[in-house]
Amino acid sequence: MESVKFKTNINCGNCIKSVTPHLNDLDDVDFWKVDTDNPDKILEVTFDEVANEEEVIKAVEKAGFNIEKI
């Protein structure tokens, strides 16, 4: 398992609800969470095996949010 962190603008419960189906559809993602208390709104993603960061970035952008790896 490998974890990767991203800076996002996912900043509230409704935002998390909006991005949830996009991230839950990713096959390689085992677990994800957003720290909305952090000023950088950190999205932490844990992958089953090999990290596919580009897939996560595309999914979050498709949901209408900004994202960058940190």
Side-chain angles (χ1 to χ4, degrees):
M1 287 191 184
E2 182 179 349
S3 290
V4 181
K5 293 184 180 182
F6 301 89
K7 179 180 175 180
T8 72
N9 65 337
I10 301 169
N11 59 16
C12 67
N14 284 334
C15 296
I16 292 172
K17 286 180 186 176
S18 295
V19 78
T20 293
H22 298 276
L23 290 173
N24 286 352
D25 281 348
L26 301 178
D27 291 333
D28 297 334
V29 173
D30 182 49
F31 174 79
W32 64 270
K33 67 179 178 180
V34 179
D35 182 359
T36 56
D37 293 330
N38 185 306
D40 289 332
K41 312 302 179 200
I42 302 300
L43 167 64
E44 183 176 355
V45 180
T46 303
F47 296 89
D48 291 330
E49 294 180 20
V50 178
N52 189 343
E53 298 163 13
E54 190 61 36
E55 195 174 77
V56 172
I57 291 170
K58 287 180 183 177
V60 171
E61 288 175 342
K62 184 177 179 182
F65 298 98
N66 299 327
I67 180 171
E68 64 182 72
K69 186 179 177 207
I70 55 173

